[in-house]
Amino acid sequence: MALRTYECDGLASYRCTPGVVVLAKTTDDVAYVVSRCAERGIPFVARGSGTGLSGGALPREDGVLIVLSRMNRIVDLAVPDERAVVGPGVINAHLTTAVASDGYYYAPDPSSQQICSIGGNIAENSGGAHCLKYGFTAHHVTGLQVVMPGGSVERFGGLAPDPVGYDVVGALVGSEGTLAVVTEATVRLSRSPQAVQTLLAAFDSIEAAGAAVSAIIAAGVLPAAIEMMDALAIEAAEAAVAPDYPAGAGAVLIVELDGPTCEVEANLADVERLCRQARAYEIRVASNDAERAVIWKGRKSAFAAVGRISPDYIVQDGVIPRTALAQVLAAVEEVATAAGVRVANVFHAGDGNLHPLVLFDESKGETERAETVSNRIIDLCLEHGGSITGEHGVGHDKKLHMGKMFNEIDLDVMQLVRCAFDPDGICNPGKIFPTPRLCGERPGRRSGVHPLQEAGVADVF
Amino acid sequence: MSSDRTVAGVSPARTARPLNLADLTNVMRAAAAAGEVVGVIGGGSKINQGAAPTGLDVLISTASMNRILEHAAGDLVITVQAGAPLADVQRHVASAGQWLALDPPEVGATAGGIVAAAASGPRRLRYGTPRDLLIGLTVVLVDGTVAKSGGKVVKNVAGYDLGKLFTGSFGTLGVIAECTFRLHPLAPARRVVTVATDEPAVAAQRVYASGAVPTAMEWDGATMTAVFESIESAATQQAADVVAVLASTGGEVGEVTDTVPAGFGARPWRPSGYGLKLTHRIGALTEVLAVVRDTLPEAELRAHVGSGVTWLGAAYVETEVIEVLRTALAAYDGGVVVVEAPVELKKQIDVWGPARGIDVMRRIKDQFDPEHRMSPGRFVGGI
Ligand SMILES: Cc1cc2nc3c(=O)[nH]c(=O)nc-3n(C[C@H](O)[C@H](O)[C@H](O)COP(=O)(O)OP(=O)(O)OC[C@H]3O[C@@H](n4cnc5c(N)ncnc54)[C@H](O)[C@@H]3O)c2cc1C
């Protein structure tokens, strides 16, 4: 049954068959559907490629699922302006492919870049391995066209910088499809670096690798990427794609440097030295693109790879201050051991974004234990001053953690933003926030005509 | 606090200078109870930017909320009170070999004021603007509600990013109380290349073609200054490469130095003059300069080359000329903001120009400040 295709996103543990699925081809299509929904108070959910890992695109039985993947046209490549205008369904990697020959690329590079959509990236404020140096999706979107939950089409920002007024583009990026449906985006194109160097360093332990990361950052080097994998993650990667990482490693670091050749070469020498000082026992530097691809293959396939060593797994996404890395990972290990489950660690070490993979076997009734460990990891992140999500979003999955990171008032204030866009609560309802809230007068607010307004000095818009 | 402080020419009935977050909350509650119209001032360096408020009962100064709350050096993150002067912040983090990568030219600017005005300087080319570096925020709303968003880690996508909405909001959504920023390592070396040119866009393409990555490229109407900040060897090499490219194309290239020239990044206007901010597609710089030469030949210009922002200064600009420039700039997807102008004139003209998405902005304003008591009239469309 075709509707089943859309019953979940990349997080398959939540499923729901949508009431209606609409495959939109144009902004008008979206505006038409949303207007009809608004008239009748019917909820709708936007969906890109469906690779989200927090159940953000989880549909509703009583609602409409608006699929944007057919709006996949690159509308304009304004290379001299360092901008591209794209439909929301354009696949992330396709944009880079389209501008590579001009010497440009689209910087945000989630591991899912071969399949995820730019609309989905915008909704999730997706990151990637290279966001340590180049920032997240939020730093690369300068304009949006959206269909508002009332059905009107609005534009914010565009090709030029610093549009006047509130930074609505900034508020929309990362709002997980709960404020409006993005139907066109203007994004930055970045100049391809003159040189790229990729280094793989093997260590006996996570602690040693973590010390190398701290030393690199403390030396003032800002690599494009610093990624880490622990022994179990390496084992999985070897089983799946055989990247042939150094045998017996307790952890490997992948460090990528890019920029002007002179800077990259000098930084590379520094990073090699710092890794050796942190007792790296083997260091490989990719000598060409093919070798670079092999190094990255193990990292980029890590999520899927753990499927080779475990029948089931949970992909967790939490953030800690980088300096707490070794401490938190030790605590994670402790929690996992006590619960009798295994945790493989893959993470963006440079910015403290952990992706622990909690391995379990549902057929052996281990699900609950794995979930407990996974939740406990989020608590550990919060206890160390971090965040419940670094890039996968809150979605349906992490709503209940929101109340641990923000208090009721913080959440009420976020709700003000929601009410400005979607007063009737029909745009991807039931996501991000732990308890549904209605839009209306806030308690304790004075109402009535303001004296200034009465005097004709100011108008209430 | 002296009572000569005004907001774009409007004097407050009274001023308040809260000492901390609790104090600020009380001030806001009292103002709410009295139905007073509130304005906010940081260092006052940009207080005349924006439109004049339509009312001002109490002006809140953040001058006494000037502490650095937490500097997590190993994590390259700092949290400060809104009134902390940028200069103090830079001095503090420099001792750890770091800096907050914002360099707006206004002297005396505070962290909160820079965020509220979305102020930027030459190095936005490499590091972006306040929206790109602000990772967490504590605000006090018009009714005294204290709320936070974001956090103390650079990577974080939990909840809506209020920081984006408050950045550049000119005090119209609430009072910024505390800010958390991402920091960057201070580059150990700097090399500065200058080239005489009246075609900065062409010069910039040559810089890029050399493979160098400048942290800033500024044009002052006659000379383009390209700045390279990196480790010693790389800064030197990039500057040498750029000099070679520029010289080979016939440019008049100056001596490479390690300091930026006097007036680097300064705005091109004088007190009591007129100052405009022109925004445009990055690739339209040449066309924009031609438009300005035709419309206002006597104007002084400063361009953030490669960023799509050009500043214009003149002793006098007719109101019609502003409209002519707006129409012209619209063709390059940009606009014209009247930053500096006599207070009387500011009351008569639209200093911001048209804002895309204004209806939604009004709805945001109505949610955060339903009675329009926060800096009313300061912002786009009379918000
Ligand atoms: C193997 C794998 C690796 C991954 N690696 C990374 C990674 O490195 N970094 C990272 O950040 N993420 C990663 N992800 C997560 C995921 O790929 C991203 O969140 C991605 O941005 C989702 O895009 P999508 O098109 O699949 O969106 P979907 O899953 O279809 O939707 C995601 C959310 O966006 C909303 N949405 C989609 N399109 C629109 C639109 N046009 N307008 C409004 N809202 C919209 C949906 O309602 C939903 O809330 C990975 C996922 C997988 C499966």
Side-chain angles (χ1 to χ4, degrees), chain A residues 69-148:
Chain A
S69 51
R70 296 192 176 186
M71 290 177 66
N72 59 353
R73 208 164 65 83
I74 295 178
V75 180
D76 186 18
L77 291 179
V79 175
D81 298 320
E82 299 171 15
R83 298 288 185 272
V85 182
V86 299
V90 169
I91 301 300
N92 175 300
H94 292 181
L95 180 54
T96 288
T97 306
V99 294
S101 60
D102 291 304
Y104 285 80
Y105 70 110
Y106 178 58
D109 62 337
S111 303
S112 50
Q113 70 189 126
Q114 301 297 341
I115 39 172
C116 65
S117 72
I118 290 180
N121 297 166
I122 289 169
E124 301 290 359
N125 187 14
S126 297
H130 293 78
C131 58
L132 177 62
K133 183 170 180 182
Y134 295 105
F136 322 111
T137 300
H139 301 118
H140 297 273
V141 180
T142 63
L144 289 174
Q145 181 191 59
V146 304
V147 173
M148 295 288 289

Side-chain angles (χ1 to χ4, degrees), chain A residues 69-341:
Chain A
S69 51
R70 296 192 176 186
M71 290 177 66
N72 59 353
R73 208 164 65 83
I74 295 178
V75 180
D76 186 18
L77 291 179
V79 175
D81 298 320
E82 299 171 15
R83 298 288 185 272
V85 182
V86 299
V90 169
I91 301 300
N92 175 300
H94 292 181
L95 180 54
T96 288
T97 306
V99 294
S101 60
D102 291 304
Y104 285 80
Y105 70 110
Y106 178 58
D109 62 337
S111 303
S112 50
Q113 70 189 126
Q114 301 297 341
I115 39 172
C116 65
S117 72
I118 290 180
N121 297 166
I122 289 169
E124 301 290 359
N125 187 14
S126 297
H130 293 78
C131 58
L132 177 62
K133 183 170 180 182
Y134 295 105
F136 322 111
T137 300
H139 301 118
H140 297 273
V141 180
T142 63
L144 289 174
Q145 181 191 59
V146 304
V147 173
M148 295 288 289
S152 65
V153 178
E154 296 277 354
R155 276 185 180 279
F156 309 99
L159 295 162
D162 301 3
V164 296
Y166 297 128
D167 184 359
V168 180
V169 170
L172 281 164
V173 176
S175 63
E176 305 195 25
T178 62
L179 298 180
V181 181
V182 173
T183 54
E184 194 178 283
T186 307
V187 300
R188 281 181 207 280
L189 298 174
S190 304
R191 214 166 279 102
S192 305
Q194 190 179 34
V196 181
Q197 286 283 12
T198 310
L199 167 150
L200 179 82
F203 298 83
D204 285 333
S205 67
I206 289 266
E207 289 72 27
V213 174
S214 292
I216 291 167
I217 300 291
V221 178
L222 183 57
I226 310 183
E227 302 282 309
M228 203 193 292
M229 293 168 71
D230 73 1
L232 198 50
I234 297 167
E235 182 191 322
E238 293 295 348
V241 296
D244 192 26
Y245 288 159
V252 293
L253 271 190
I254 299 171
V255 182
E256 191 155 284
L257 298 156
D258 72 9
T261 309
C262 49
E263 186 180 272
V264 170
E265 295 308 324
N267 280 338
L268 180 67
D270 281 342
V271 169
E272 274 197 70
R273 180 176 48 80
L274 293 166
C275 283
R276 287 202 199 287
Q277 277 171 10
R279 294 201 299 278
Y281 67 84
E282 184 171 341
I283 292 180
R284 295 180 193 165
V285 178
S287 56
N288 54 43
D289 284 349
E291 288 185 26
R292 184 178 351 275
V294 172
I295 290 181
W296 275 111
K297 192 167 66 172
R299 167 61 188 90
K300 293 220 169 187
S301 63
F303 292 177
V306 293
R308 296 295 185 97
I309 60 165
S310 175
D312 303 289
Y313 61 95
I314 299 171
V315 179
Q316 190 45 286
D317 165 46
V319 188
I320 52 167
R322 179 180 45 234
T323 45
L325 206 68
Q327 213 180 334
V328 173
L329 289 178
V332 168
E333 183 58 34
E334 221 169 275
V335 169
T337 310
V341 300

